[in-house]
Amino acid sequence: MDREIIAVRGRIFRTAVLLLFVVLVGNLFGLMILRHQSWQDQALENRQVRFRMKAPRGRIIDRDGNLLADNMYIADITVPTSALADGVPDSSLYRLLTWFDLPRVETLERLAQQQRKGRRELVVVADAALPQIVTVEERERQLPGVRVQARQRRRYLHGPLFVHVIGHMGEVGQADLDSAGSQRTYRLGDLKGKIGVEARYETSLRGQDGLKLEEVN
């Protein structure tokens, strides 16, 4: 009788081990084969940040090839919107305020206004000077989330002379996004042609934005 009990217990034990082994192999198969792509994509998402790369706006020339409008580039120093939570700057934003001797109250209010407009990134210093850019680049480890972003500024070579024909640019607002509906191609703060040639040929002049992936630790 004792031998029969021992034999039964042995079979139960072997069966349990076999079941556990099958479950383990099944889980490994699911992780490594069936859901491999899903886990790989999640791993990449965890260590990669996506940045939108705005396309350079097209130039405007006359029929003789003379340049009427093109772009010049300036640099803005930005922080993510999370850098200002409940009106309190995080460590990176606090350092920028201190190092660049920015007026605290006025700067925080300006950033809060950008938050209320739905901006994803807040411009701390617009059209930054070279020493400010160098400071950010040299101390990037002390400034997590701070970026130097190149921005286009439209340049009209003849000033206001042909403004009634060439037109001008304007900022995209919430009304523009609402009117676009599901066909949205802009974000708040983008620039678009409002009148004249700038508006008439907006689709061609605007170009197509790109995407940049940066690895983070």
Coordinates of all heavy atoms in Angstrom, one line a residue, residues 87-142:
G87 N 2.5 76.6 -12.1 CA 3.2 77.8 -11.9 C 4.6 77.8 -11.3 O 5.2 78.8 -11.1
V88 N 5.0 76.5 -11.0 CA 6.3 76.3 -10.3 C 7.3 75.8 -11.3 O 7.1 74.7 -11.9 CB 6.2 75.4 -9.1 CG1 7.5 75.2 -8.4 CG2 5.1 76.0 -8.1
P89 N 8.4 76.4 -11.6 CA 9.4 75.9 -12.5 C 10.2 74.7 -12.0 O 10.5 74.7 -10.8 CB 10.3 77.1 -12.8 CG 10.2 77.9 -11.5 CD 8.8 77.8 -11.0
D90 N 10.5 73.8 -12.9 CA 11.3 72.7 -12.4 C 12.8 73.1 -12.4 O 13.1 74.3 -12.6 CB 11.1 71.5 -13.3 CG 11.7 71.7 -14.7 OD1 12.2 72.8 -15.0 OD2 11.6 70.8 -15.6
S91 N 13.7 72.2 -12.1 CA 15.1 72.6 -11.9 C 15.7 73.2 -13.2 O 16.5 74.2 -13.1 CB 15.9 71.4 -11.4 OG 15.9 70.3 -12.4
S92 N 15.4 72.6 -14.3 CA 16.0 73.1 -15.6 C 15.5 74.5 -15.9 O 16.3 75.4 -16.2 CB 15.6 72.2 -16.7 OG 16.1 70.9 -16.6
L93 N 14.2 74.8 -15.7 CA 13.7 76.1 -16.0 C 14.2 77.1 -15.0 O 14.5 78.2 -15.4 CB 12.1 76.0 -16.0 CG 11.4 77.4 -16.2 CD1 11.9 78.0 -17.5 CD2 9.9 77.1 -16.3
Y94 N 14.3 76.7 -13.7 CA 14.8 77.6 -12.7 C 16.3 78.0 -13.1 O 16.6 79.2 -12.9 CB 14.8 76.9 -11.4 CG 15.4 77.7 -10.2 CD1 14.6 78.7 -9.6 CD2 16.7 77.6 -9.8 CE1 15.1 79.5 -8.6 CE2 17.2 78.3 -8.8 CZ 16.4 79.3 -8.2 OH 16.9 80.1 -7.2
R95 N 17.1 77.1 -13.5 CA 18.5 77.4 -13.9 C 18.5 78.4 -15.1 O 19.3 79.3 -15.1 CB 19.2 76.1 -14.3 CG 19.5 75.2 -13.1 CD 20.5 74.1 -13.5 NE 20.8 73.3 -12.3 CZ 20.3 72.1 -12.1 NH1 19.4 71.6 -12.9 NH2 20.6 71.4 -11.0
L96 N 17.6 78.2 -16.1 CA 17.6 79.1 -17.2 C 17.2 80.5 -16.7 O 17.8 81.5 -17.1 CB 16.6 78.7 -18.2 CG 16.9 77.4 -19.0 CD1 15.8 77.0 -20.0 CD2 18.2 77.5 -19.8
L97 N 16.2 80.6 -15.8 CA 15.8 81.9 -15.3 C 16.9 82.6 -14.6 O 17.1 83.8 -14.7 CB 14.6 81.8 -14.3 CG 13.3 81.3 -14.9 CD1 12.3 80.9 -13.8 CD2 12.7 82.3 -15.9
T98 N 17.7 81.8 -13.9 CA 18.8 82.4 -13.1 C 20.0 82.7 -14.0 O 20.6 83.8 -13.9 CB 19.3 81.4 -12.0 OG1 18.1 81.0 -11.2 CG2 20.4 82.0 -11.1
W99 N 20.4 81.8 -14.8 CA 21.6 82.0 -15.6 C 21.5 83.1 -16.6 O 22.4 83.9 -16.9 CB 22.0 80.7 -16.4 CG 22.5 79.6 -15.5 CD1 22.8 79.7 -14.2 CD2 22.6 78.2 -15.8 NE1 23.1 78.5 -13.7 CE2 23.0 77.5 -14.7 CE3 22.4 77.5 -17.0 CZ2 23.3 76.2 -14.7 CZ3 22.6 76.1 -17.0 CH2 23.1 75.5 -15.9
F100 N 20.3 83.3 -17.2 CA 20.1 84.3 -18.2 C 19.5 85.6 -17.6 O 19.1 86.5 -18.3 CB 19.1 83.8 -19.3 CG 19.7 82.6 -20.1 CD1 18.9 81.7 -20.7 CD2 21.1 82.4 -20.2 CE1 19.4 80.6 -21.4 CE2 21.6 81.4 -20.9 CZ 20.8 80.4 -21.5
D101 N 19.3 85.6 -16.3 CA 18.8 86.8 -15.6 C 17.5 87.2 -16.2 O 17.3 88.4 -16.5 CB 19.8 87.9 -15.6 CG 19.5 89.0 -14.6 OD1 18.8 88.7 -13.6 OD2 20.0 90.2 -14.8
L102 N 16.6 86.3 -16.4 CA 15.3 86.6 -17.0 C 14.3 87.1 -15.9 O 14.3 86.6 -14.8 CB 14.7 85.4 -17.6 CG 15.5 84.7 -18.8 CD1 14.9 83.4 -19.2 CD2 15.7 85.7 -19.9
P103 N 13.5 88.1 -16.2 CA 12.5 88.5 -15.2 C 11.5 87.4 -14.9 O 10.7 86.9 -15.7 CB 11.7 89.7 -15.9 CG 12.0 89.4 -17.4 CD 13.3 88.8 -17.5
R104 N 11.5 86.9 -13.6 CA 10.8 85.7 -13.2 C 9.3 85.8 -13.4 O 8.7 84.9 -14.1 CB 11.1 85.4 -11.7 CG 10.5 84.1 -11.2 CD 10.8 83.9 -9.8 NE 10.1 82.8 -9.2 CZ 10.6 81.5 -9.2 NH1 11.8 81.3 -9.6 NH2 9.8 80.5 -8.7
V105 N 8.7 86.8 -12.9 CA 7.2 86.9 -13.0 C 6.8 87.0 -14.4 O 5.8 86.3 -14.8 CB 6.7 88.1 -12.1 CG1 5.2 88.2 -12.3 CG2 7.1 87.9 -10.7
E106 N 7.4 87.9 -15.2 CA 6.9 88.1 -16.6 C 7.2 86.8 -17.4 O 6.3 86.4 -18.2 CB 7.7 89.3 -17.2 CG 7.3 90.6 -16.6 CD 8.1 90.9 -15.4 OE1 8.7 90.0 -14.8 OE2 8.1 92.1 -14.9
T107 N 8.3 86.2 -17.2 CA 8.6 85.0 -18.0 C 7.7 83.8 -17.7 O 7.2 83.2 -18.6 CB 10.1 84.5 -17.7 OG1 11.0 85.6 -18.0 CG2 10.5 83.3 -18.6
L108 N 7.4 83.6 -16.4 CA 6.5 82.5 -16.0 C 5.1 82.8 -16.5 O 4.4 81.8 -16.9 CB 6.5 82.3 -14.5 CG 7.9 81.8 -13.9 CD1 7.7 81.6 -12.4 CD2 8.3 80.6 -14.5
E109 N 4.7 84.0 -16.5 CA 3.3 84.3 -17.0 C 3.3 84.1 -18.5 O 2.3 83.6 -19.0 CB 3.0 85.8 -16.7 CG 1.7 86.2 -17.3 CD 0.5 85.4 -16.9 OE1 0.5 84.8 -15.7 OE2 -0.5 85.3 -17.7
R110 N 4.3 84.5 -19.2 CA 4.4 84.2 -20.7 C 4.3 82.7 -21.0 O 3.7 82.3 -21.9 CB 5.6 84.9 -21.2 CG 5.8 84.7 -22.7 CD 6.9 85.6 -23.3 NE 8.1 85.5 -22.5 CZ 9.1 84.6 -22.7 NH1 8.9 83.6 -23.6 NH2 10.2 84.6 -22.0
L111 N 5.1 81.9 -20.2 CA 5.1 80.5 -20.4 C 3.7 79.9 -20.1 O 3.3 79.0 -20.7 CB 6.2 79.8 -19.6 CG 7.6 80.3 -19.9 CD1 8.6 79.6 -19.0 CD2 8.0 80.0 -21.3
A112 N 3.1 80.4 -19.0 CA 1.8 79.9 -18.7 C 0.7 80.2 -19.8 O -0.1 79.4 -20.0 CB 1.3 80.6 -17.4
Q113 N 0.9 81.4 -20.4 CA 0.0 81.7 -21.6 C 0.2 80.7 -22.7 O -0.8 80.2 -23.3 CB 0.3 83.1 -22.0 CG -0.2 84.2 -21.1 CD 0.1 85.6 -21.6 OE1 0.7 85.7 -22.6 NE2 -0.3 86.6 -20.8
Q114 N 1.5 80.3 -22.9 CA 1.7 79.3 -24.0 C 1.1 77.9 -23.6 O 0.6 77.2 -24.4 CB 3.2 79.1 -24.2 CG 3.9 80.4 -24.7 CD 5.4 80.2 -24.9 OE1 5.9 79.1 -25.3 NE2 6.2 81.2 -24.6
Q115 N 1.2 77.6 -22.3 CA 0.5 76.4 -21.8 C -1.0 76.4 -22.1 O -1.5 75.4 -22.6 CB 0.8 76.2 -20.3 CG 2.1 75.5 -19.9 CD 2.1 75.2 -18.5 OE1 1.6 76.0 -17.7 NE2 2.8 74.2 -18.1
R116 N -1.6 77.5 -21.8 CA -3.1 77.6 -22.0 C -3.4 77.5 -23.5 O -4.6 77.1 -23.8 CB -3.6 78.9 -21.4 CG -3.5 79.0 -19.9 CD -4.3 80.1 -19.3 NE -3.6 81.4 -19.6 CZ -2.8 82.0 -18.7 NH1 -2.4 81.3 -17.6 NH2 -2.2 83.1 -19.0
K117 N -2.5 77.8 -24.4 CA -2.8 77.7 -25.8 C -2.6 76.3 -26.3 O -2.8 76.0 -27.5 CB -1.9 78.7 -26.6 CG -2.2 80.2 -26.4 CD -1.3 81.0 -27.2 CE -1.7 82.5 -27.1 NZ -0.8 83.4 -27.9
G118 N -2.1 75.4 -25.4 CA -1.9 74.0 -25.8 C -0.6 73.7 -26.4 O -0.4 72.7 -27.1
R119 N 0.4 74.6 -26.2 CA 1.7 74.4 -26.8 C 2.4 73.2 -26.1 O 2.3 73.0 -24.9 CB 2.6 75.6 -26.5 CG 2.1 76.9 -27.2 CD 2.4 76.8 -28.7 NE 2.0 78.1 -29.3 CZ 2.7 79.2 -29.4 NH1 3.9 79.2 -28.8 NH2 2.3 80.2 -30.0
R120 N 3.0 72.3 -26.9 CA 3.7 71.2 -26.4 C 5.1 71.5 -25.8 O 5.6 70.8 -24.9 CB 3.9 70.1 -27.4 CG 2.6 69.5 -27.9 CD 2.8 68.4 -28.9 NE 1.5 67.8 -29.3 CZ 1.4 66.7 -30.0 NH1 2.4 66.0 -30.3 NH2 0.2 66.3 -30.4
E121 N 5.7 72.6 -26.4 CA 7.0 73.0 -25.9 C 6.9 74.5 -25.7 O 6.3 75.2 -26.5 CB 8.1 72.7 -26.9 CG 8.3 71.2 -27.0 CD 9.5 70.9 -27.9 OE1 9.6 71.6 -29.0 OE2 10.3 70.0 -27.7
L122 N 7.5 75.0 -24.6 CA 7.4 76.4 -24.2 C 8.6 77.1 -24.6 O 9.7 76.6 -24.2 CB 7.1 76.5 -22.7 CG 6.0 75.6 -22.1 CD1 5.9 75.8 -20.6 CD2 4.7 75.9 -22.8
V123 N 8.5 78.2 -25.2 CA 9.7 79.0 -25.6 C 10.1 79.9 -24.5 O 9.4 80.9 -24.2 CB 9.4 79.9 -26.9 CG1 10.6 80.7 -27.3 CG2 9.0 78.9 -28.0
V124 N 11.2 79.6 -23.9 CA 11.8 80.4 -22.8 C 12.5 81.7 -23.4 O 12.3 82.8 -22.9 CB 12.7 79.6 -21.9 CG1 13.2 80.5 -20.7 CG2 12.0 78.4 -21.4
V125 N 13.3 81.4 -24.3 CA 14.1 82.5 -25.0 C 13.9 82.4 -26.5 O 14.3 81.5 -27.1 CB 15.6 82.5 -24.7 CG1 16.3 83.6 -25.3 CG2 15.8 82.5 -23.1
A126 N 13.2 83.4 -27.0 CA 13.0 83.5 -28.5 C 14.2 84.2 -29.1 O 14.7 85.2 -28.6 CB 11.7 84.1 -28.8
D127 N 14.6 83.7 -30.3 CA 15.7 84.3 -31.0 C 16.9 84.5 -30.1 O 17.4 85.6 -29.9 CB 15.3 85.7 -31.6 CG 16.2 86.2 -32.6 OD1 17.2 85.5 -33.0 OD2 16.1 87.4 -33.1
A128 N 17.3 83.4 -29.6 CA 18.4 83.4 -28.6 C 19.7 83.8 -29.1 O 20.0 83.6 -30.3 CB 18.6 82.0 -28.0
A129 N 20.5 84.5 -28.3 CA 21.8 85.0 -28.7 C 22.8 83.8 -28.6 O 22.6 82.8 -27.9 CB 22.3 86.1 -27.8
L130 N 23.9 84.0 -29.4 CA 24.9 82.9 -29.4 C 25.4 82.5 -28.0 O 25.5 81.3 -27.7 CB 26.1 83.3 -30.3 CG 27.1 82.2 -30.5 CD1 26.5 81.0 -31.1 CD2 28.2 82.8 -31.5
P131 N 25.7 83.4 -27.1 CA 26.2 83.0 -25.8 C 25.2 82.2 -25.0 O 25.5 81.2 -24.3 CB 26.5 84.3 -25.1 CG 26.7 85.3 -26.2 CD 25.8 84.9 -27.3
Q132 N 23.9 82.5 -25.2 CA 22.8 81.7 -24.6 C 22.8 80.3 -25.2 O 22.6 79.3 -24.4 CB 21.5 82.4 -24.7 CG 21.4 83.7 -24.0 CD 20.1 84.5 -24.3 OE1 19.7 84.5 -25.5 NE2 19.5 85.1 -23.3
I133 N 22.9 80.2 -26.5 CA 22.9 78.9 -27.1 C 24.1 78.0 -26.6 O 23.9 76.8 -26.3 CB 22.9 79.0 -28.6 CG1 21.6 79.8 -29.1 CG2 23.0 77.7 -29.3 CD1 21.6 80.1 -30.6
V134 N 25.2 78.6 -26.6 CA 26.4 77.9 -26.2 C 26.3 77.5 -24.7 O 26.7 76.3 -24.4 CB 27.7 78.8 -26.3 CG1 28.9 78.2 -25.6 CG2 28.0 79.1 -27.8
T135 N 25.7 78.3 -23.9 CA 25.5 77.9 -22.5 C 24.6 76.6 -22.4 O 24.9 75.7 -21.6 CB 24.8 79.0 -21.7 OG1 25.7 80.2 -21.7 CG2 24.5 78.6 -20.2
V136 N 23.5 76.6 -23.1 CA 22.7 75.4 -23.1 C 23.4 74.2 -23.6 O 23.3 73.1 -23.1 CB 21.4 75.7 -23.9 CG1 20.5 74.5 -24.1 CG2 20.6 76.8 -23.2
E137 N 24.1 74.3 -24.7 CA 24.7 73.2 -25.3 C 25.8 72.6 -24.4 O 26.0 71.4 -24.3 CB 25.4 73.6 -26.7 CG 24.3 74.0 -27.7 CD 23.5 72.8 -28.2 OE1 23.9 71.7 -27.9 OE2 22.5 73.0 -29.0
E138 N 26.6 73.5 -23.8 CA 27.7 73.1 -22.9 C 27.2 72.5 -21.6 O 27.9 71.6 -21.0 CB 28.6 74.3 -22.6 CG 29.4 74.8 -23.7 CD 30.4 75.9 -23.4 OE1 30.1 76.5 -22.3 OE2 31.3 76.2 -24.1
R139 N 26.0 72.9 -21.1 CA 25.5 72.4 -19.8 C 24.3 71.5 -20.0 O 23.4 71.5 -19.1 CB 25.2 73.6 -18.9 CG 26.4 74.5 -18.7 CD 26.1 75.6 -17.8 NE 27.2 76.6 -17.7 CZ 27.2 77.6 -16.8 NH1 26.1 77.8 -16.0 NH2 28.2 78.5 -16.8
E140 N 24.2 70.8 -21.1 CA 23.0 70.0 -21.4 C 22.7 69.0 -20.3 O 21.5 68.6 -20.1 CB 23.1 69.4 -22.7 CG 24.2 68.4 -22.9 CD 24.2 67.7 -24.3 OE1 23.2 67.9 -25.0 OE2 25.2 67.1 -24.6
R141 N 23.7 68.4 -19.6 CA 23.5 67.5 -18.6 C 22.8 68.1 -17.4 O 22.1 67.4 -16.6 CB 24.8 66.8 -18.1 CG 25.4 65.9 -19.2 CD 26.7 65.2 -18.7 NE 27.2 64.3 -19.6 CZ 26.9 63.1 -19.8 NH1 25.9 62.6 -19.0 NH2 27.4 62.3 -20.7
Q142 N 23.0 69.4 -17.2 CA 22.3 70.0 -16.1 C 20.9 70.6 -16.5 O 20.2 71.1 -15.6 CB 23.1 71.2 -15.6 CG 24.5 70.8 -15.0 CD 25.3 72.1 -14.7 OE1 26.2 72.5 -15.5 NE2 25.0 72.7 -13.6

